[in-house]
Amino acid sequence: MVRLASESRQRKVVFLLLDRFTMIAFASAIEPLRLANQVSGRELYSWQLASEDAKDVACSNGTVFRTDIGLDELGRDTMVLVCGGIDVAEAIDKPILNWLRREARRGAVIGGLCTGSYALAKAGLLDGRRATIHWENTDSFSEDFPEVELTKGVFVIDGNRVTTAGGTASIDLMLRLIARDHGEELANTVADQLIHSSIRSDRDTQRLSIPTRIGVRHPKLAQVIGRMEANIEEPISPAQLATEVGMSARQLERLFRRYLNRSPKRYYMELRLQKARNLLMQTEMSVINVAMACGFASPSHFSKCYRAHYQTTPYRERGTSGSGEREAPDATLAGDAFGKDD
């Protein structure tokens, strides 16, 4: 049992469960609190589950949770953690946003787990602050909330706002908070109980390194891919990318074909189309604006490339039929959709 000072503070946490929230992010946040109580022999943390109208909430895997309270007024020292998941924009409404704003005005610490960060941003609680969200949602989040300084960290603490990237990142956030509240010894003991052998900090990034992701440890290849990922809206030519890493265009071509079985041009196109699909599925941006955000000069070219890769057009992907956007003429599935040499 870890010995704590008799004056160690107690903290109450309210988990606001949004429809189809992610269970692993929620469980990774609540279990460290339970273990902190267990190994200290004291009730350092208490918690309640909340939802709009105190109704039951199903998480993304279908498990249903019974909640304790609705959007009630909370104590001044309560921390609110919004648990988000799939289609978070559909899971929040005006009463939820107003409740978050009210509790923020009362001085509560407000946090977002996984896509819960979206709810905080929608309520205006992250304006001018640093935050993070699951990497799959970064493209749409950046487009919707340019006033938020989005990072790639596993978690971010900015004053009385906390956000996590989702998954097991909640463990690292809670261990940081436990250490702040009650010391490193207790946090480390909780980590051992969780078999969490490496505690990440807010300086750790949520995605694997490029060499690990692509399964290739070649520094110049990783450097080029990093430049591609950072320049989606204004693509850089393969010739310029080759020059930047001290190679010829032909050498770069051979490098990509050897390790990734595609040309640099095709790989770059796939990155841009992947971002475009994220924006189509997660934002209300028009197809034309999505095309521009992903470096396409015209909607027709965008539609042609998109259909060649995903076997559907961006308009059909979005489901905008009859909504005011007119679909571009169907493009033939020509082999040169990614360039003739691909």
Side-chain angles (χ1 to χ4, degrees):
M1 185 177 296
V2 178
R3 291 185 177 274
L4 300 174
S6 59
E7 68 274 9
S8 290
R9 63 179 298 188
Q10 295 183 332
R11 186 191 290 272
K12 180 179 178 180
V13 182
V14 169
F15 293 91
L16 175 62
L17 307 183
L18 301 181
D19 187 43
R20 289 185 286 178
F21 70 96
T22 303
M23 180 184 282
I24 190 171
F26 164 68
S28 294
I30 202 169
E31 280 299 287
L33 303 182
R34 179 188 69 82
L35 288 167
N37 291 347
Q38 176 180 306
V39 301
S40 68
R42 296 169 55 183
E43 189 177 345
L44 302 175
Y45 298 94
S46 62
W47 51 86
Q48 289 181 301
L49 307 186
S51 68
E52 190 172 0
D53 299 325
K55 60 187 178 184
D56 294 351
V57 182
C59 65
S60 58
N61 65 21
T63 303
V64 178
F65 284 77
R66 179 176 298 171
T67 58
D68 306 301
I69 60 173
L71 303 181
D72 304 336
E73 188 172 295
L74 306 176
R76 190 173 298 275
D77 294 328
T78 301
M79 172 187 287
V80 177
L81 294 177
V82 183
C83 303
I86 296 173
D87 295 330
V88 64
E90 299 176 8
I92 57 177
D93 56 18
K94 190 173 181 179
I96 288 176
L97 296 176
N98 287 339
W99 181 76
L100 290 173
R101 294 180 185 119
R102 185 189 71 195
E103 293 307 315
R105 287 194 298 270
R106 289 167 50 80
V109 175
I110 309 287
L113 307 183
C114 194
T115 61
S117 305
Y118 183 95
L120 271 63
K122 188 72 173 177
L125 303 182
L126 295 179
D127 290 357
R129 293 178 182 262
R130 296 172 62 251
T132 190
I133 198 169
H134 192 281
W135 61 265
E136 195 173 42
N137 300 89
T138 56
D139 292 333
S140 58
F141 189 97
S142 296
E143 293 290 342
D144 286 341
F145 308 108
E147 62 278 9
V148 180
E149 184 184 342
L150 194 63
T151 79
K152 297 179 180 180
V154 292
F155 68 87
V156 171
I157 301 175
D158 189 338
N160 56 358
R161 300 288 179 268
V162 297
T163 50
T164 78
T168 59
S170 297
I171 294 177
D172 302 287
L173 170 66
M174 302 316 285
L175 291 174
R176 169 66 68 85
L177 296 177
I178 290 170
R180 282 188 174 186
D181 290 346
H182 306 290
E184 295 286 347
E185 182 184 0
L186 179 60
N188 291 338
T189 302
V190 171
D192 283 341
Q193 288 286 327
L194 291 164
I195 321 297
H196 194 66
S197 57
S198 180
I199 303 176
R200 294 172 292 183
S201 74
D202 53 359
R203 293 183 297 275
D204 289 305
T205 57
Q206 53 182 288
R207 297 198 71 185
L208 298 173
S209 66
I210 290 174
T212 303
R213 271 191 278 137
I214 65 176
V216 177
R217 296 195 175 278
H218 192 293
K220 290 189 175 182
L221 182 62
Q223 186 178 346
V224 169
I225 291 174
R227 289 284 287 150
M228 288 177 173
E229 291 180 346
N231 293 272
I232 298 295
E233 187 169 353
E234 297 181 3
I236 304 172
S237 70
Q240 183 178 339
L241 290 169
T243 300
E244 289 181 3
V245 296
M247 304 178 73
S248 69
R250 182 170 296 181
Q251 287 174 321
L252 185 65
E253 178 86 15
R254 287 199 296 264
L255 185 66
F256 267 79
R257 291 201 178 276
R258 176 183 177 185
Y259 289 111
L260 299 175
N261 196 33
R262 52 178 55 78
S263 71
K265 186 176 180 181
R266 183 183 181 93
Y267 187 89
Y268 208 166
M269 177 65 76
E270 290 173 356
L271 289 178
R272 292 161 59 198
L273 291 172
Q274 184 178 53
K275 175 175 180 177
R277 189 168 191 270
N278 284 341
L279 294 177
L280 288 169
M281 303 296 286
Q282 299 172 13
T283 74
E284 297 300 320
M285 293 173 63
S286 69
V287 172
I288 293 175
N289 286 338
V290 169
M292 293 175 60
C294 298
F296 292 92
S298 69
S300 59
H301 181 229
F302 173 46
S303 184
K304 176 182 178 181
C305 295
Y306 198 95
R307 181 170 181 174
H309 190 57
Y310 290 115
Q311 288 75 56
T312 188
T313 69
Y315 297 87
R316 290 171 183 152
E317 188 86 89
R318 166 62 64 74
T320 55
S321 178
S323 67
E325 287 189 273
R326 191 168 61 188
E327 182 166 353
D330 280 352
T332 58
L333 298 179
D336 66 346
F338 294 101
K340 292 182 180 180
D341 58 341
D342 293 342

